[in-house]
Amino acid sequence: RGRPGVVTFPTAAAMAAGPPPPLQPSPLPVFREEGFGDKFLRKTRENPLVPLGCLCTVGVLTYGLISFKRGHTRRSQLMMRARILAQGFTFAALLGGMVLTAMRPKQ
C-alpha cells in the first residue's frame, strides 16, 4: 500500500459504498435573448460617460458644420478642435470603462 511507484485501485467494497457519479452533465445556465434596446441600456448604465461623450461629439460636430456653412470660419475651426477633444474624452471614457470592467471581481 505505502510503497512508492505502486498504483493501487479501490476495492469493490469501497466502490459499492457510495453512489455512482452522475452520467448526465450538469445543466448549462439559460440566458434570455437580449435585444438592442436592452443591451444599450445595460451598457449605458455600466459606463454612462461613453454615450455622453458621443452626444457631445455629435453636437460639436453639428454646430461646427453649421458654422462652416454660414461662413464663420473661425468658429468652425474652433468647433472642429473641440470635436477632437470630445472624441478624446469619449475614447478615454471607453478605455476607463474597459479597465474597470476587467478589474471588477467575477461573480
Side-chain angles (χ1 to χ4, degrees):
R1 247 185 195 245
R3 293 185 296 172
V6 176
V7 178
T8 58
F9 295 101
T11 62
M15 288 178 26
L23 296 177
Q24 288 85 16
S26 60
L28 296 174
V30 178
F31 297 104
R32 68 176 184 87
E33 191 66 31
E34 186 177 39
F36 176 77
D38 294 333
K39 185 174 182 176
F40 180 78
L41 287 175
R42 179 175 56 84
K43 293 287 188 177
T44 300
R45 283 188 206 108
E46 288 175 5
N47 194 356
L49 295 178
V50 172
L52 179 67
C54 290
L55 287 174
C56 288
T57 301
V58 169
V60 170
L61 175 64
T62 303
Y63 187 62
L65 290 174
I66 291 170
S67 297
F68 180 73
K69 185 178 179 186
R70 292 182 180 166
H72 301 235
T73 55
R74 180 114 172 109
R75 186 181 304 146
S76 174
Q77 282 295 314
L78 184 65
M79 289 299 107
M80 290 304 115
R81 291 178 185 148
R83 176 187 59 88
I84 298 299
L85 289 175
Q87 282 179 318
F89 171 79
T90 305
F91 185 70
L94 184 66
L95 284 179
M98 288 171 48
V99 167
L100 288 176
T101 302
M103 291 174 53
R104 185 179 302 151
K106 302 286 185 232
Q107 296 175 356

